[in-house]
Amino acid sequence: MNRTKMVVASLAVAALMAQCATGIAGAAATKSQTNTAAAQAVKTLGNLNGIKLAGKSTVKLSNVNILAQGDGNVLTYTLTYHNNDSKTLSLIDYWTKVKTKSGTAYSVSVVGADKEKKKVVPGSSVSVTYTTKIAKHLKYSDLNFQIVKWNFNVAGYEEVLGSINIPSTYAVATPVNTTGKLILNDFSANAKVMSVNVLGLGDSNYVNIALYLQNTGSSTIENPNLKYVVQTASGTAFAVTPDSASSNYKILPQENKTLNLIAKIPKNVNLNNLQLLLVQSDEASKSDIPVASMGLGTKQGTSSKTAANKERLLKIDNTNITTRIESISRNQSFGKSDLSIQFAIANKGDKAITLPNYSFEIQAGSKSYPLVSSSLDGMVIEPNEEQIISVDGTLPIITNANEMDLVLKTPTGSSQVSPEQPAAPAASSSYPVAIYSLPDYTEMQHALGQERIVKNNDGEFGVTLDAVQKLPWNDGNLLATKITIVNKGTKAAKLPEFEGAYKMDLTTLSSTVNLVNSNTTQILGPGEKSSVYVVANVPSSLKFSQLQVQLLQKLGADKTANWVMFSNYGSTSAIKQIAEGTYFNLDTAGKKSDLKTRKTYLYKGSTSDIIYTELVMKNLENSQANLSQLTGYFQTDDGQYYKADVNQVKHAVGPQSSSLVSFSAKVPKGTIVSNWHLVVGESVTENKFTELEGKPTGFVNASAMELNLDSRNIQSNLKDVQLFPYTLTVKEIEGRTNSSGLEVKMKYDLKRDLTYDMGEFQHKFILEVTDSSGARFEKEIELEKDMIVGGNLSFSYVINDLIFATSRSGAFQFSIYDSYQGEKTKIATQAAYYVNTDLYN
């Protein structure tokens, strides 16, 4: 493995088993505190009596191990020779052998590392390890370890000085959280099993072991030739896989390191009293031999699963991290359950760590379902920092949902292959790091109007699905969902950059989905709120029984993670009705305003009619603002829609200022306007609110404003003729005829109500003259161009028609019309007289 891969593997699996202060080890520590007397009663090899050699010198059994193999077991035992005399003790004079209680004898050999140990100088001790193969059924208590002295004066030349037997009640392996001394080749170390965690997954139990090694010698321990095996009480051995950091390491004198080891064991194997065996390859016997046994304190049925709402301590690169499930939300429909889990990871160390690309899955009984976390890969967590990631997936609706667990696993291929004997799991396997019981769900179906709490790295937010509107748009419909987000924290928080997604029943919406955020800065102060809108075009015929809407957090160019998901069953939200005379409030930040209907007219034409509605729009902001550009549809009493042309100001308006907005649409000739509404909302262009002069691609935040058609009585005089916001008063009007036609002269006052700002004024005056024969003559007047605002002004125009050549006296009818988009309505009429002298001399 090259160095880059080694480093990645080291980080990826370093958390595999160092789950200190949890699981079985923690339970063992607690039990030892409450059962001190029982713990003191346990006897070990140290309690065995030694055998006298010569003078004051003795020999003791200091270590014994049995490694199970297919064709028999490998026994190793260590004798420690103590020279308490004044002269050197020669080991050539002594030997050892092993006999069973039934009399079977096994000859032994010295391991290669100890072959040169020939003597013990006065006042010192020397340990020698011997090995042999024994029958598979033999236990420690079945064996007698004999000490033999070569004596040519006895038959067979072997004088048995004594034998050592291990009672069945003695503990041979070093217990959990107890330090044992290791002498391996040229180095010595203290060893201790710091923690053991048993994680059940599928058909297997994964036994995670944290093995502490302290270098007690004077030379560096560098990549010792150690292998590891977990062995059951009945003698079945299982391979142990160390992580990469535990396979290649260096420990300086007096330094320590915790190795992370894992064993995969079938669930039908009894876990009572498992042992960890440290194994070395012995050149002399050409085989692997056990050099130390560490008790794991396991019991059948033990599980190190993390309880709901509890933390799990892990290690990454020798740094403590805590992990927990922050919250979990669920959407259920059509036999599927969408889960979104907020998973918290906190760095409790003093250096930054790069998180491995852990995998996640849900375990339910014997089945597992993969989950996805897009934001984890390559994430760096600084000291004392906490990151919350979203872990998401879809799985079948499970009857016993309370029996589901979240499994945190190493990245695939992150572990090293364990000893060849017995066979190790494949290197591409992924192993569980921790298993978590799920806390109570937050159900996200039937969520309309219900605030949900979302806590992540950015802060804590209250999120509410306010409305899911189906709105008319061109030849189809718009889906416009409003989601309100409130900062629940005590500090300003930044919202992530969002994308939106829709799913109808079991089908993801394939058309473009736009996300509009009303808060352009994405910063929310404490208690402040912002609304986001998820908008998409759909066919008008589309029907569905459930709609899921999702906010996705952008993580990169093509990378997103779930932020929140809601479900809405049945029909979409009813469009709010606004009674005539009441206000429709638009609460969008920076664009707050009120809308109120003013007048609704019907202009009757020869082939079609025009419905026209005028609204007053008031700026509720405390400063000049570009108010929302509006979109509107006229809705008939039977649910038909007519797209409205909109005319409104195209510039910023001052605080508390009002402006006129008009909506109009052509309708069939003779249309009866009764119980109609104007569906009006704020225009959006793709992912933002429509700017001035912009072209809308949709609209949001719609309400239906009640319309009552206004009748327009025809005034019988020309005083205060209304064409809002203009008022025209014709003070004098006279006609003068000649051989070529009629000259109409008038004096007038024209006023404009400056309370209201407006866009382009699209109405015109039509001045009509009707003579006694019924002939009609029209003059189109554009206000503030042909007739200007002011008082006591004069205006005249000429009608060139010979019909007036013979008219010298009498009268004609003078009428004023409101003309809109080529259709006109008479609003005032009055008789005027012919005068054949100068009108104003």
Side-chain angles (χ1 to χ4, degrees), residues 19-28 196-198 302-305 312:
Q19 302 166 43
C20 302
T22 58
I24 299 168
V196 180
N197 290 279
V198 177
T302 296
S303 174
S304 301
K305 183 167 61 177
R312 165 70 65 165

Side-chain angles (χ1 to χ4, degrees), residues 324-336:
R324 72 179 186 280
I325 296 176
E326 179 67 31
S327 64
I328 178 169
S329 58
R330 177 174 64 174
N331 276 286
Q332 293 195 123
S333 64
F334 301 102
K336 298 290 185 180

Side-chain angles (χ1 to χ4, degrees), residues 421-443:
Q421 185 279 328
S428 61
S429 298
S430 179
Y431 302 113
V433 175
I435 299 179
Y436 306 82
S437 295
L438 300 184
D440 292 337
Y441 304 101
T442 298
E443 298 289 357

